[in-house]
Amino acid sequence: MDFTFKRSAQITGLLLLLAAVTQAIYTALYVSEADVPRQLLWGTEGFLFVMLAAFAGSAMVQTDRQHLAWSAITAAAVLNVVQVSIGLTMFGPFFEASGDVEGLAPAAKAVVAFSFMVYNAAKVLLALALIVFGLTGLKAGSRLLGGASALVGIVALLSNTASMAAGRDIFGDLPLAGASGVLATALLALCLLTLPDGDHKEG
């Protein structure tokens, strides 16, 4: 199968949309205090992000435009693989150990903080990519999608940067960084799924 730029971009968009859906499902289950199937959801996300890194990287070398956006998506995918891996392999053992040994509680909290630092960094990169595609859309006359993408991208970039710099609890109970990051991911997926022809290299 020949993975052209258009096909790679569309698959990247689909993978981003699926990742946004899994994150929304996890958040909804967590907020409702329901039993969260972390292994299933995070394992699925891990696979999605591995594939995302491959297809976004492929699109990046095939296109003549938006290299910053494509490199940001690729780097975000790699960071998300790291973040999901931390959750799947380290959360359980550290929290189990901290329950038995009180002195290990700070170490468990540090692992969670590290995970969220990586999570916010990945969202900053996706927000940056969204801003690039949003501004490109505005320039091309797409005021609705382009304007919404640029605006949401800026909010997600600033809020996730603030969470990285000042701690993930900077907004208190308001999940601004996470919610805007998921919305940015969904809008970025829409931008890629509706990407016009003509952005690939000739020959």
Side-chain angles (χ1 to χ4, degrees), residues 56-77:
S58 174
M60 178 175 63
V61 300
Q62 291 176 303
T63 186
D64 278 328
R65 306 175 185 178
Q66 293 99 24
H67 288 103
L68 175 61
W70 286 110
S71 65
I73 296 171
T74 305

Side-chain angles (χ1 to χ4, degrees), residues 14-152:
L14 180 59
L15 290 169
L16 283 168
L17 185 60
L18 290 174
V21 169
T22 60
Q23 290 172 359
I25 291 174
Y26 175 86
T27 301
L29 290 175
Y30 182 81
V31 170
S32 66
E33 299 182 351
D35 186 28
V36 180
R38 289 183 174 85
Q39 183 68 45
L40 176 61
L41 288 175
W42 288 353
T44 299
E45 284 186 0
F47 171 76
L48 293 175
F49 290 131
V50 168
M51 293 295 103
L52 181 62
F55 283 101
S58 174
M60 178 175 63
V61 300
Q62 291 176 303
T63 186
D64 278 328
R65 306 175 185 178
Q66 293 99 24
H67 288 103
L68 175 61
W70 286 110
S71 65
I73 296 171
T74 305
V78 174
L79 285 178
N80 271 310
V81 172
V82 174
Q83 190 265 334
V84 169
S85 298
I86 294 170
L88 283 176
T89 64
M90 300 179 73
F91 278 12
F94 267 93
F95 277 101
E96 183 178 349
S98 66
D100 297 329
V101 182
E102 185 177 349
L104 286 179
K109 292 180 180 179
V111 170
V112 174
F114 175 48
S115 176
F116 272 95
M117 173 67 78
V118 178
Y119 173 85
N120 291 132
K123 288 294 184 251
V124 167
L125 287 169
L126 291 179
L128 177 60
L130 181 61
I131 292 171
V132 172
F133 280 111
L135 294 177
T136 300
L138 280 173
K139 187 177 180 180
S142 176
R143 294 185 178 181
L144 181 58
L145 180 58
S149 297
L151 179 60
V152 171

